[in-house]
Amino acid sequence: MANWIFELNNPQFVVAPMVDASELAWRLLCRRHGANLCYTPMLHSNVFTKDAKYRKDNLVTCEEDRPLIVQFCGNNPEIMASAAKLAEEYCDAIDINLGCPQSIAKRGRYGSFLQDDWELLKEIVTAMSKAVSIPITCKVRIFEDIDKSVNYAKMLEASGCKLLTVHGRTREQKGPLTGIASWKHIKAIRESVSIPMLANGNIQCLEDVYRCIEYTKVDGVMSAEGILTNPALFEGINPVTWELAEEYLELVYRYPCPSSYVRGHLFKIFHKIFTFDENNDDRQLLATAQNINDFKKVCENLKNKYQPYQEGKIHYEDEENISRTGYNLILPPWICQPYVRMSPEAHTQKMHELSKNQNNQECKRINEDQDGNHISRKKMKKMKRMMRRPQKADQNQNGRNGDICFNDKCPNPLGGKCTYKLCKKCCKNKCYEEDLDCRGHRILVHTRREIAKLFANKNTEET
């Protein structure tokens, strides 16, 4: 088993396990464009062992979908081993997710939130290795300290891990604070373990793959965010967005998946083209699309709009982008290209400025209105409630439908079900004066008077 990776033709270009994003249709698309190893989305070991429908819906594969690694999350060695045994015949290896940094992983105590419990991880890797005949692999994140990261990797190797994927970011580096992955950590780990190893982080194009391999000496490179925006990343090309999208939709037709997966992929592929206001209608169409025809319509609309530019029939000038950034696009917006995150430092500064501006505006709103009149704190709270729920505020002021009491001298809102189109106060007065009932306001003046008369007559007869 030590040389099992060679039996897979030494895959260098690897598609990462991505929840709701590395389903069969997407894996096949990436394989067509250079990927030679794919992971399934993360599967929950506990649910996988108990729910046959979950297994059927989530572990979907075919003959073209090899080599394949199935990834599980969990924290119970016995359950993880049982899940691995159920998936063994459908894949070439089983991976343990030790890298997920999301809050759901913290609540479920899996992913990167197991990286501090080394004894438990030893039990999990050992139990899974004994349960199946195929390799057990691990995908991890680094610690800030290089030595601790190295010892962590050695521990997993000693426990039976046969392939290590190292994401060069810490557990805290996520979302807008993702930042740059540390290839220095990855290189140190590569030099300390003897098992095959993949690197993950900072991969936006094929040149990044080769730079990473040259620097870290890993066996291969995994891409997640980069390949979502350009499924042909490992092919070394930047194709036209609608061509990749249409190819993906053909695979979805053959291998159906939830519409939310498709929508997410198309938003990633068209991410640059959707930054322009002229495409807001197509963006909205994609956001509400529910079937394959809706998704194809988005592709068709964008193709009709930008294909003349792609073919050189019309000259494209991105005046909006030039004025916004001071430089022209390296690639036109209809071409697949990387999504470039704002740096953590820039994001922190931006949030600080926004918070400061909001606080200043809030202080002004609390102190005075547009006319400069002082507003009390109590009144401000009421105004905020009205701003949050303008429809309800309008109902409170002007009745259910915004109508006013039919009494010309009354400014109150009318009752929504009032028989006489009056507010409750005016309706009550009318009923008392004219001996009437109003079922809408539950005012039963006439009925009660009749009951009183009957009761009075009955008493008179008895006496």
Side-chain angles (χ1 to χ4, degrees), residues 262-291:
V262 183
R263 187 179 302 109
H265 282 304
L266 295 189
F267 266 120
K268 289 290 194 304
I269 291 174
F270 292 126
H271 78 95
K272 192 64 183 181
I273 213 167
F274 279 150
T275 61
F276 296 90
D277 292 341
E278 64 193 52
N279 299 315
N280 284 346
D281 289 343
D282 292 313
R283 183 185 179 90
Q284 183 61 29
L285 176 58
L286 178 56
T288 57
Q290 295 299 325
N291 55 60

Side-chain angles (χ1 to χ4, degrees), residues 436-454:
L436 301 172
D437 286 346
C438 177
R439 298 292 176 182
H441 278 127
R442 297 181 183 178
I443 299 172
L444 306 176
V445 174
H446 175 74
T447 300
R448 287 174 179 170
R449 284 177 179 174
E450 290 299 316
I451 293 173
K453 289 178 183 179
L454 290 173

Side-chain angles (χ1 to χ4, degrees), residues 203-219:
I203 306 302
Q204 299 281 29
C205 61
L206 187 59
E207 288 77 8
D208 291 337
V209 174
Y210 292 127
R211 286 195 306 111
C212 182
I213 291 175
E214 182 180 357
Y215 179 78
T216 63
K217 308 303 179 185
V218 293
D219 299 278

Side-chain angles (χ1 to χ4, degrees), residues 14-33:
V14 185
V15 178
M18 298 173 285
V19 175
D20 298 346
S22 52
E23 79 286 357
L24 176 58
W26 185 258
R27 298 197 300 267
L28 293 178
L29 178 68
C30 295
R31 290 181 191 276
R32 287 182 178 183
H33 293 280

